[in-house]
Amino acid sequence: MKLGSHVSMAGKGLLSAAQEAHSYGANTFMVYTGAPQNTIRKKIEDLYIEEGKAYMQEHGISEIIVHAPYIINLASPEKRTFKLAVDFLTREIERTEAIGSKHIILHPGSHVKTGEDVGLARIIEGLNEVIYKEQKVKITLELMAGKGTELNYDFNHTAAIFNGVIHGDKLAVCFDTCHVHDAGYDIINNFDGVLEEFDKIVGLDRLEVFHINGSLNPRGARKDRHANIGAGLDNPKGLDHIGYDALHYIVNHEFVKDKPCILETPWIDKNTNLYKEEIAMLKAEKSK
């Protein structure tokens, strides 16, 4: 099982991130190369990449996932926003490759009331500008919850993007349990059926990364509010509507267990998260 969480590159870059991941009992992890809300980034040579890779090898951490910043919106109808998205995603791919990651997770974008077909066409246009034939990093499209005007909450959106991108082999998919649940797919009672549906529409060979999160909302709410795994009503962050048993089944599933599974569950406060406890829970042989 490849199981980890989002960690920070603050301080000594990749080395700090790997050390934090190891402290949670993780063997994989995900980072933003800088703050997800802006374009400010350290120089690649200041990211302690070789030190981080050496620490990973020493402690059995085998894979890094990079997440693109939220400010990238390839579906935007606004020229300046679209150009920023294309240019910054291009630079983030360079940083992802330098770090040694094979995947950069991308929220494909929101159509901002121009309509889903127009937004999807815009995403395809942007990806075709960004992707080049020799690219080593896969832009990994995250399945979304469908809040507001965001796209890729429907497997058919994903298929349309793949069908429109020239170098489709440079794309992959990230399955976020909270998002897919909130989008209306029944991962609690019929995860295998959801995988079968995805396989028919997109293809399971495209599905390469998982985000493992509970949800504060019932299925189909299209809200995208993450919950701690198995959190009860007495938890300050609220009830997890997906539940421990379903998420334990997913991370231990034959198809999933060799894919990077990344926790993005809420912090209790600014200094406290439950990543170590949640990783241990999911690794346990039997559900509680």
Side-chain angles (χ1 to χ4, degrees):
M1 185 189 300
K2 295 180 180 178
L3 189 58
S5 68
H6 166 240
V7 294
S8 174
M9 287 186 71
K12 293 187 175 182
L14 188 61
L15 176 60
S16 295
Q19 290 171 335
E20 183 182 348
H22 179 62
S23 75
Y24 301 145
N27 58 4
T28 185
F29 60 85
M30 184 178 76
V31 296
Y32 293 88
T33 67
Q37 301 88 358
N38 63 50
T39 61
I40 300 170
R41 295 293 183 268
K42 291 181 179 179
K43 296 178 180 178
I44 289 175
E45 54 265 32
D46 294 335
L47 295 179
Y48 291 82
I49 292 173
E50 294 309 314
E51 294 89 341
K53 288 180 178 178
Y55 187 92
M56 289 173 62
Q57 184 173 7
E58 181 182 353
H59 292 87
I61 302 173
S62 60
E63 197 157 354
I64 312 163
I65 305 297
V66 172
H67 201 302
Y70 305 139
I71 58 172
I72 292 176
N73 182 13
L74 288 178
S76 175
E78 208 280 320
K79 290 183 179 179
R80 182 178 299 178
T81 303
F82 179 78
K83 186 177 187 306
L84 169 69
V86 168
D87 291 347
F88 196 57
L89 180 56
T90 299
R91 296 199 299 272
E92 284 291 271
I93 289 171
E94 294 173 359
R95 297 169 69 80
T96 300
E97 185 168 328
I99 288 170
S101 173
K102 297 181 293 185
H103 296 94
I104 181 167
I105 308 296
L106 177 68
H107 293 185
S110 298
H111 62 74
V112 199
K113 298 183 179 180
T114 59
E116 292 189 348
D117 289 342
V118 172
L120 289 169
R122 193 70 158 161
I123 291 169
I124 292 166
E125 178 187 352
L127 290 172
N128 280 329
E129 285 195 36
V130 171
I131 296 171
Y132 58 97
K133 187 176 181 181
E134 295 78 18
Q135 184 172 305
K136 296 178 181 179
V137 173
K138 288 190 177 182
I139 299 175
T140 306
L141 307 174
E142 186 162 349
L143 297 173
M144 305 305 293
K147 68 180 187 297
T149 64
E150 73 181 6
L151 297 162
N152 211 41
Y153 66 88
D154 185 312
F155 296 165
N156 290 290
H157 292 179
T158 315
I161 295 170
F162 272 95
N163 290 336
V165 170
I166 296 169
H167 298 295
D169 59 316
K170 308 302 181 183
L171 296 177
V173 179
C174 172
F175 187 112
D176 185 303
T177 55
C178 172
H179 296 175
V180 175
H181 164 84
D182 281 23
Y185 295 95
D186 189 1
I187 65 169
I188 301 171
N189 303 299
N190 192 25
F191 177 69
D192 289 84
V194 173
L195 286 185
E196 288 175 10
E197 183 175 355
F198 184 90
D199 192 28
K200 290 177 183 177
I201 297 172
V202 183
L204 278 181
D205 59 317
R206 304 290 198 177
L207 191 51
E208 298 188 13
V209 182
F210 282 78
H211 284 171
I212 306 299
N213 301 298
S215 173
L216 291 175
N217 294 285
R219 179 164 65 94
R222 291 177 66 169
K223 295 289 187 182
D224 185 11
R225 296 174 64 218
H226 296 190
N228 293 105
I229 295 170
L233 288 170
D234 59 341
N235 188 288
K237 295 298 181 180
L239 174 68
D240 171 20
H241 283 265
I242 298 176
Y244 170 78
D245 287 341
L247 294 174
H248 184 272
Y249 177 81
I250 289 170
V251 298
N252 287 279
H253 192 279
E254 192 65 29
F255 174 76
V256 178
K257 65 183 182 180
D258 66 338
K259 311 288 190 303
C261 292
I262 305 294
L263 296 167
E264 300 174 305
T265 51
W267 286 49
I268 301 304
D269 55 48
K270 66 179 182 179
N271 297 312
T272 310
N273 64 58
L274 297 176
Y275 291 149
K276 183 175 183 178
E277 292 81 1
E278 290 171 324
I279 288 171
M281 287 171 61
L282 292 171
K283 284 182 176 179
E285 291 186 6
K286 295 181 180 179
S287 56
K288 300 176 182 179

